[in-house]
């Protein structure tokens, strides 16, 4: 495909060069000091460069200091639009975007009567409709709407390229529609499918220097080029699927028939294929009740008028395949503007729920554009749970002061339903920490033993000397790599800690998804919390960070058979993305273990309760197993234990001092408070290791291991 695109680009350059061969080659000096040699087209304000740098670039006339012909008179030619010495400048110093387009062609789109709503989003998909050296149609529409309706915030977004097939664009378009549903979708396709498979231009043989007799060569009829493009049925199926996706997302759709490739009104390049695509587009529009914008028929009518014999291929309405001259662009722009304006009243009603970042308190307001407020009933939840028609009814805007996930369900009188959800982030501010003199990439990770997150804190193990460095997007293989002495069936509790390096100051949004429990802290401030008992396994939070280093901790408690933990971040002004390891740092030495839950006030949690800690480990010879008591006096507890792997009870032996162990042992304890009979359990493996003397070094070895086959009765035997 790159070779094909390069061939197409070279073909475009050769076509432009041949069209301008009669023009004068000039040396053009620009205001920024560049000197270009080529043919300048004042109409399109582009220059076709000569020599090895052959290319077509846009050069506004106001940026030209001088133009000097390569041959003939060497006097400097004043730049177009540049005042002579002593004259006052007139007009703008540089052309504005779309200045070459007649503003009247977009008048239907920006008329006062078009019922645009605040926040409307237009998505343009498919062919890059543009003239050489000028902005494409999507940019012109965006500029026109932003100028005409500056207070509505209408967004025009395009997924277009020169020479991409509809099938390639459709996949990205469906993803974009699902992520940020538009209100209006314009699909312009067909030309890209043709350009993607255009053959490279033929190489002309070098003619003799001085031919004596010019041979008479009979002219054979030129057969139409057969292009390997998708069939009309396949193209139609892709278009139908794309239109359906847009309509299901709540968008009004406009389908444009393909423009032209070349300038022959009949028997031209890909004429039959594009005619078939145009018929398919009209059929899909009728079936799906979409709007239709017919570009092909008016362009072909103009070609018949301007090139009735079909004797020219280049220079009538287009200069290169897929690019139109300003006259043709004006025609297409007017047709598209009218089709979009006609489609705006067909945009379905929707729900407008604007989440965001706030400090202190904020107001949640639910709007229903394009339907009267008294024609719908709005149900709302603010606890992160699902919303249905039994949820509380929204009556008026309400205030919130904490990070909240708001979900709404809007039911119209005819039974039509719309739903939306948005996060409202309470953002505390945090100053930067001092940067470390020495750091390593990633975060520290250590393992803790988890019994029940709801019954106090998981007990920390001592930090092992061979910790694994890893950043928090968890996979199942990580647990196998952790150097722990835990029982294989025990669930994991991990802590990641280090520093997050904020590249700029601003509001950072973090999203944590977990199969179990998770906490994300900046210092002692809890930013995101995922609860095992909550319905949603993904939660978000935000914090305002100064530029620089910030201490970060992430705690994870596994709940399911398959551990799952992902962390995403949205830097200021950007969308969520996986947390880049580039922004994470750790100190050469592991940090001191911190709390796993926040103190009273952040989310209504109680202060950290008392607990017990039992540090299992590997040993040689004999070791003393000790029970550590935290946040309570030891004499206020009765600690029962077993050494055979059975669960301890109040009838089990009482722990009074460290217990010597000389073989692999599973040590379990049950701690009972004498005051209120609150219980906490803990367990750990103490694994005996033996020293094995080294074998003799064999004289010759091969890589790998021997393998042989044996019969299998029962592994337990």
């Amino acid at each position: 495909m790159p070779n094909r695109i390069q061939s197409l680009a070279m073909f475009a350059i050769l076509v432009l060069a041949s069209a301008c061969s009669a023009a004068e080659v000039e040396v053009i000096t620009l205001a920024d000091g560049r000197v270009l040699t080529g043919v300048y087209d004042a109409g399109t304000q582009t220059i076709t460069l000569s020599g090895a740098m052959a290319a077509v670039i846009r050069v506004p006339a106001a940026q030209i200091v001088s133009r000097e012909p390569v041959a003939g008179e060497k006097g400097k030619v004043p730049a177009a639009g540049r005042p002579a010495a002593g004259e006052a400048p007139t007009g703008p110093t540089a052309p504005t975007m779309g200045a070459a387009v007649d503003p009247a062609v977009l008048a239907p789109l920006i008329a006062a009567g078009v019922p645009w709503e605040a926040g409307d989003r237009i998505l343009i998909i498919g062919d890059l409709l543009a003239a050489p050296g000028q902005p494409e149609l999507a940019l012109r529409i965006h500029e026109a709407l932003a100028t005409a309706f500056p207070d509505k915030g209408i967004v025009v977004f395009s997924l277009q390229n020169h020479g991409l097939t509809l099938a390639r664009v459709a996949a990205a378009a469906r993803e974009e529609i699902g992520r940020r549903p538009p209100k209006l979708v314009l699909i312009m396709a067909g030309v890209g499918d043709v350009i993607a498979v255009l053959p490279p231009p033929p190489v002309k043989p070098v003619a003799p220097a001085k031919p004596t007799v010019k041979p008479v060569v009979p002219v054979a009829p030129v057969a139409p080029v057969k292009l390997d493009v998708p069939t009309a049925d396949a193209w139609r199926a892709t278009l139908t699927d794309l239109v359906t996706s847009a309509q299901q997302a709540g968008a009004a759709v406009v389908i444009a028939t393909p423009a032209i490739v070349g300038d022959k009104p009949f028997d031209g390049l890909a004429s039959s294929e594009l005619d078939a695509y145009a018929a398919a587009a009209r059929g899909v529009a009728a079936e799906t009740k979409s709007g239709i914008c017919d570009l092909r028929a008016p362009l072909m009518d103009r070609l018949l008028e301007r090139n009735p014999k079909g004797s020219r291929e280049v220079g009538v309405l287009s200069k290169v395949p897929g690019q139109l001259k300003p006259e043709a662009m004006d025609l297409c722009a007017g047709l598209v503007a009218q089709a979009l304006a006609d489609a705006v009243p067909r945009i379905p009603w929707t729900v407008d729920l604007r989440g965001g970042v706030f400090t202190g308190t904020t107001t949640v307001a639910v709007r229903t554009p394009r339907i009267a407020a008294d024609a719908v009933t709005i149900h709302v939840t603010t606890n992160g749970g699902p919303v249905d028609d039994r949820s509380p009814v929204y009556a008026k805007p309400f205030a919130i002061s904490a990070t909240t996930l708001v979900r709404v369900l809007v039911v119209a009188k005819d039974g039509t339903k719309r739903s939306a959800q948005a996060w409202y982030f309470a953002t505390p501010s945090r100053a930067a920490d001092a940067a470390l003199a020495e750091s390593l990439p990633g975060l520290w990770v250590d393992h803790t033993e988890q019994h029940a997150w709801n019954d106090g804190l998981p007990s920390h193990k001592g930090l092992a000397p061979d910790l694994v460095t890893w950043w928090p997007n968890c996979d199942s293989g990580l647990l196998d790599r952790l150097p722990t002495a835990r029982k294989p069936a025990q669930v994991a509790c991990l802590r990641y800690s280090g520093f997050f390096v904020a590249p700029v100051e601003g509001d950072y949004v973090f999203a944590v998804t977990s199969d179990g429990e998770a906490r994300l802290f900046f210092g002692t401030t809890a930013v995101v919390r995922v609860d095992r008992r909550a319905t949603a396994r993904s939660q978000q939070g935000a914090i305002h960070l100064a530029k620089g280093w910030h201490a970060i901790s992430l705690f994870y408690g596994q709940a399911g058979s398959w551990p799952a933990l992902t962390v995403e971040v949205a830097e200021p002004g950007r969308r969520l993305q996986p947390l880049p390891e580039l922004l994470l740092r750790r100190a050469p030495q592991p940090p001191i273990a911190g709390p796993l839950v926040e103190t009273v006030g952040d989310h209504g949690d109680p202060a950290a309760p008392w607990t017990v800690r039992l540090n299992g480990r590997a040993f040689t010879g004999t070791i003393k197993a000790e029970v550590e008591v935290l946040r309570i006096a030891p004499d206020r507890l009765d600690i029962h234990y077993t050494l055979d792997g059975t669960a301890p009870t109040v009838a089990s032996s009482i722990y009074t001092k460290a217990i010597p162990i000389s073989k692999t042992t599973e040590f379990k304890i049950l701690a009972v408070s004498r005051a209120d009979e609150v219980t906490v359990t803990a367990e750990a493996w103490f694994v005996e290791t033996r020293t094995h003397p080294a074998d003799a070094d064999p004289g010759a070895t091969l890589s790998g291991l021997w393998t042989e086959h044996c019969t299998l009765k029962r592994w337990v035997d």
Side-chain angles (χ1 to χ4, degrees), residues 40 146 455:
Y40 187 72
D455 296 332

Side-chain angles (χ1 to χ4, degrees), residues 108-109 114-116 184 252-254 291-293 334-347:
L109 188 71
V114 180
W116 293 107
L184 185 56
V253 179
V254 174
I292 187 71
C293 177
L335 294 169
V336 168
Q338 186 62 60
L340 292 179
D342 293 341
V344 172
R346 296 190 293 104
I347 298 176

Side-chain angles (χ1 to χ4, degrees), residues 516-533:
E517 304 263 348
R519 307 284 191 275
L520 178 65
F521 286 81
F522 274 85
T524 58
T525 301
V527 177
V528 183
R529 169 182 176 143
V530 180
D531 285 326
R532 179 189 306 172
R533 294 163 293 179

Side-chain angles (χ1 to χ4, degrees), residues 484-512:
T484 66
R486 61 188 177 88
K487 183 179 178 180
Q490 180 182 329
V491 296
C493 178
L494 309 176
R495 181 191 63 150
Y496 307 91
S497 55
F499 290 86
F500 174 82
V501 184
V504 296
E505 180 174 358
D507 296 320
Y508 288 77
V509 177
F510 291 86
V512 179

Side-chain angles (χ1 to χ4, degrees), residues 612-635:
V612 292
R613 178 182 297 171
L614 187 59
N615 295 326
R617 65 194 66 184
F619 66 93
T620 302
T622 303
I623 191 174
K624 289 186 176 182
E626 295 182 325
V627 177
E628 185 177 1
V629 179
L630 304 176
R631 304 184 188 94
I632 193 173
D635 58 4

Side-chain angles (χ1 to χ4, degrees), residues 270-339:
S271 291
S272 60
E273 290 88 348
L274 292 176
D275 286 340
Y277 289 166
R282 297 185 187 98
V284 173
E287 292 175 1
T288 60
K289 296 182 173 57
S290 301
I292 187 71
C293 177
D294 198 345
L295 301 180
R296 185 160 184 79
L299 287 172
M300 296 300 288
D301 291 343
R302 190 67 59 88
L303 285 178
L304 283 170
E305 175 188 341
R306 299 284 301 278
N307 188 17
K309 296 182 179 180
S311 58
R312 293 178 295 174
E313 180 63 53
V314 175
V316 180
L317 292 183
S318 67
K319 281 195 170 185
V320 296
Q323 291 192 347
L324 304 177
K325 295 184 72 173
E327 174 191 354
M329 276 298 300
D330 281 351
L331 176 61
C332 293
L335 294 169
V336 168
Q338 186 62 60

Side-chain angles (χ1 to χ4, degrees), residues 434-448:
L436 301 178
E438 181 182 358
S439 67
L440 299 171
L443 297 176
W444 282 107
V445 57
D446 53 284
H447 176 266
T448 60

